mmCIF file of all heavy atoms in Angstrom:
data_model
loop_
_atom_site.group_PDB
_atom_site.id
_atom_site.type_symbol
_atom_site.label_atom_id
_atom_site.label_comp_id
_atom_site.label_asym_id
_atom_site.label_seq_id
_atom_site.Cartn_x
_atom_site.Cartn_y
_atom_site.Cartn_z
ATOM 1 N N HIS A 48 45.900 -7.581 -2.126
ATOM 2 C CA HIS A 48 47.064 -8.251 -1.413
ATOM 3 C C HIS A 48 47.567 -9.422 -2.323
ATOM 4 O O HIS A 48 46.809 -10.138 -2.896
ATOM 5 C CB HIS A 48 46.571 -8.855 -0.152
ATOM 6 C CG HIS A 48 46.164 -7.772 0.908
ATOM 7 N ND1 HIS A 48 47.146 -7.418 1.982
ATOM 8 C CD2 HIS A 48 45.225 -7.031 1.001
ATOM 9 C CE1 HIS A 48 46.549 -6.412 2.662
ATOM 10 N NE2 HIS A 48 45.303 -6.231 2.136
ATOM 11 N N ILE A 49 48.881 -9.363 -2.541
ATOM 12 C CA ILE A 49 49.380 -10.352 -3.418
ATOM 13 C C ILE A 49 50.551 -11.030 -2.833
ATOM 14 O O ILE A 49 51.319 -10.469 -1.979
ATOM 15 C CB ILE A 49 49.836 -9.858 -4.873
ATOM 16 C CG1 ILE A 49 50.632 -8.541 -4.679
ATOM 17 C CG2 ILE A 49 48.601 -9.521 -5.734
ATOM 18 C CD1 ILE A 49 51.422 -8.207 -5.948
ATOM 19 N N ALA A 50 50.778 -12.308 -3.224
ATOM 20 C CA ALA A 50 52.042 -13.103 -2.913
ATOM 21 C C ALA A 50 52.472 -13.755 -4.053
ATOM 22 O O ALA A 50 51.746 -14.044 -4.982
ATOM 23 C CB ALA A 50 51.678 -14.084 -1.713
ATOM 24 N N PHE A 51 53.791 -14.160 -4.068
ATOM 25 C CA PHE A 51 54.375 -14.761 -5.236
ATOM 26 C C PHE A 51 54.848 -16.149 -4.838
ATOM 27 O O PHE A 51 55.368 -16.419 -3.754
ATOM 28 C CB PHE A 51 55.526 -13.891 -5.737
ATOM 29 C CG PHE A 51 55.141 -12.515 -6.249
ATOM 30 C CD1 PHE A 51 54.918 -11.437 -5.432
ATOM 31 C CD2 PHE A 51 54.719 -12.409 -7.620
ATOM 32 C CE1 PHE A 51 54.541 -10.242 -5.959
ATOM 33 C CE2 PHE A 51 54.383 -11.217 -8.189
ATOM 34 C CZ PHE A 51 54.191 -10.208 -7.214
ATOM 35 N N VAL A 52 54.674 -17.021 -5.838
ATOM 36 C CA VAL A 52 55.494 -18.329 -5.737
ATOM 37 C C VAL A 52 56.475 -18.273 -6.838
ATOM 38 O O VAL A 52 56.025 -18.230 -8.098
ATOM 39 C CB VAL A 52 54.446 -19.517 -5.959
ATOM 40 C CG1 VAL A 52 55.158 -20.811 -5.843
ATOM 41 C CG2 VAL A 52 53.342 -19.297 -4.828
ATOM 42 N N ILE A 74 49.477 -4.581 -2.305
ATOM 43 C CA ILE A 74 50.158 -4.718 -1.034
ATOM 44 C C ILE A 74 50.879 -5.970 -1.312
ATOM 45 O O ILE A 74 50.325 -7.143 -1.371
ATOM 46 C CB ILE A 74 49.309 -4.769 0.149
ATOM 47 C CG1 ILE A 74 48.776 -3.378 0.403
ATOM 48 C CG2 ILE A 74 50.205 -5.137 1.423
ATOM 49 C CD1 ILE A 74 47.612 -3.285 1.588
ATOM 50 N N ASN A 75 52.251 -5.878 -1.373
ATOM 51 C CA ASN A 75 53.053 -7.115 -1.697
ATOM 52 C C ASN A 75 53.491 -7.887 -0.568
ATOM 53 O O ASN A 75 54.144 -7.356 0.438
ATOM 54 C CB ASN A 75 54.262 -6.711 -2.490
ATOM 55 C CG ASN A 75 54.926 -7.796 -3.195
ATOM 56 O OD1 ASN A 75 54.624 -8.932 -2.969
ATOM 57 N ND2 ASN A 75 55.837 -7.445 -4.162
ATOM 58 N N HIS A 76 53.062 -9.122 -0.377
ATOM 59 C CA HIS A 76 53.388 -10.000 0.706
ATOM 60 C C HIS A 76 54.733 -10.803 0.310
ATOM 61 O O HIS A 76 55.091 -11.642 1.102
ATOM 62 C CB HIS A 76 52.334 -10.981 1.068
ATOM 63 C CG HIS A 76 51.083 -10.254 1.732
ATOM 64 N ND1 HIS A 76 50.810 -10.533 2.936
ATOM 65 C CD2 HIS A 76 50.279 -9.298 1.275
ATOM 66 C CE1 HIS A 76 49.685 -9.789 3.225
ATOM 67 N NE2 HIS A 76 49.380 -9.036 2.290
ATOM 68 N N GLY A 77 55.263 -10.478 -0.680
ATOM 69 C CA GLY A 77 56.592 -11.058 -1.117
ATOM 70 C C GLY A 77 56.519 -12.390 -1.631
ATOM 71 O O GLY A 77 55.411 -12.957 -1.870
ATOM 72 N N VAL A 78 57.631 -13.134 -1.663
ATOM 73 C CA VAL A 78 57.668 -14.431 -2.169
ATOM 74 C C VAL A 78 57.534 -15.526 -1.044
ATOM 75 O O VAL A 78 58.192 -15.325 0.075
ATOM 76 C CB VAL A 78 59.066 -14.768 -2.864
ATOM 77 C CG1 VAL A 78 59.200 -16.163 -3.320
ATOM 78 C CG2 VAL A 78 59.236 -13.722 -4.145
ATOM 79 N N VAL A 79 56.631 -16.380 -1.340
ATOM 80 C CA VAL A 79 56.476 -17.442 -0.323
ATOM 81 C C VAL A 79 57.167 -18.734 -0.717
ATOM 82 O O VAL A 79 57.470 -18.884 -1.921
ATOM 83 C CB VAL A 79 54.994 -17.741 0.142
ATOM 84 C CG1 VAL A 79 54.427 -16.498 0.757
ATOM 85 C CG2 VAL A 79 54.234 -18.130 -1.186
ATOM 86 N N ALA A 85 51.109 -20.570 -0.081
ATOM 87 C CA ALA A 85 50.416 -19.452 -0.672
ATOM 88 C C ALA A 85 48.940 -19.673 -0.628
ATOM 89 O O ALA A 85 48.123 -18.804 -0.233
ATOM 90 C CB ALA A 85 50.847 -19.264 -2.116
ATOM 91 N N MET A 88 47.528 -19.073 2.823
ATOM 92 C CA MET A 88 47.335 -17.659 3.142
ATOM 93 C C MET A 88 46.039 -17.164 2.450
ATOM 94 O O MET A 88 45.353 -16.339 3.005
ATOM 95 C CB MET A 88 48.594 -16.837 2.450
ATOM 96 C CG MET A 88 49.821 -16.921 3.218
ATOM 97 S SD MET A 88 51.241 -16.235 2.463
ATOM 98 C CE MET A 88 51.024 -14.477 2.846
ATOM 99 N N ILE A 94 45.584 -12.941 1.493
ATOM 100 C CA ILE A 94 45.896 -12.347 0.231
ATOM 101 C C ILE A 94 44.745 -12.651 -0.771
ATOM 102 O O ILE A 94 43.905 -13.505 -0.604
ATOM 103 C CB ILE A 94 47.184 -12.996 -0.409
ATOM 104 C CG1 ILE A 94 47.040 -14.643 -0.445
ATOM 105 C CG2 ILE A 94 48.406 -12.709 0.386
ATOM 106 C CD1 ILE A 94 48.253 -15.361 -1.106
ATOM 107 N N PHE A 96 45.554 -12.506 -4.341
ATOM 108 C CA PHE A 96 46.167 -12.996 -5.558
ATOM 109 C C PHE A 96 47.347 -13.845 -5.325
ATOM 110 O O PHE A 96 48.216 -13.413 -4.492
ATOM 111 C CB PHE A 96 46.378 -11.851 -6.613
ATOM 112 C CG PHE A 96 45.346 -11.436 -7.333
ATOM 113 C CD1 PHE A 96 44.466 -10.327 -6.920
ATOM 114 C CD2 PHE A 96 44.810 -12.072 -8.456
ATOM 115 C CE1 PHE A 96 43.429 -10.004 -7.537
ATOM 116 C CE2 PHE A 96 43.665 -11.659 -9.149
ATOM 117 C CZ PHE A 96 43.000 -10.600 -8.777
ATOM 118 N N ILE A 97 47.524 -14.962 -6.037
ATOM 119 C CA ILE A 97 48.838 -15.669 -6.051
ATOM 120 C C ILE A 97 49.328 -15.479 -7.550
ATOM 121 O O ILE A 97 48.608 -15.844 -8.399
ATOM 122 C CB ILE A 97 48.660 -17.162 -5.693
ATOM 123 C CG1 ILE A 97 47.968 -17.163 -4.319
ATOM 124 C CG2 ILE A 97 49.981 -17.820 -5.762
ATOM 125 C CD1 ILE A 97 47.539 -18.740 -4.074
ATOM 126 N N ILE A 98 50.569 -15.068 -7.561
ATOM 127 C CA ILE A 98 51.174 -14.997 -8.912
ATOM 128 C C ILE A 98 52.421 -15.984 -8.893
ATOM 129 O O ILE A 98 53.275 -15.926 -8.095
ATOM 130 C CB ILE A 98 51.690 -13.614 -9.241
ATOM 131 C CG1 ILE A 98 50.515 -12.570 -9.266
ATOM 132 C CG2 ILE A 98 52.411 -13.604 -10.604
ATOM 133 C CD1 ILE A 98 50.859 -11.203 -9.331
ATOM 134 N N GLU A 99 52.376 -16.964 -9.799
ATOM 135 C CA GLU A 99 53.242 -18.072 -9.802
ATOM 136 C C GLU A 99 54.072 -18.043 -11.028
ATOM 137 O O GLU A 99 53.608 -18.132 -12.218
ATOM 138 C CB GLU A 99 52.478 -19.418 -9.605
ATOM 139 C CG GLU A 99 53.277 -20.539 -9.287
ATOM 140 C CD GLU A 99 52.528 -21.777 -9.047
ATOM 141 O OE1 GLU A 99 51.289 -21.678 -8.996
ATOM 142 O OE2 GLU A 99 53.154 -22.936 -8.741
#
Side-chain angles (χ1 to χ4, degrees):
Chain A
H48 294 257
I49 50 167
F51 295 86
V52 181
I74 293 173
N75 194 344
H76 289 246
V78 177
V79 296
M88 285 172 82
I94 54 171
F96 280 90
I97 303 170
I98 299 170
E99 192 173 2

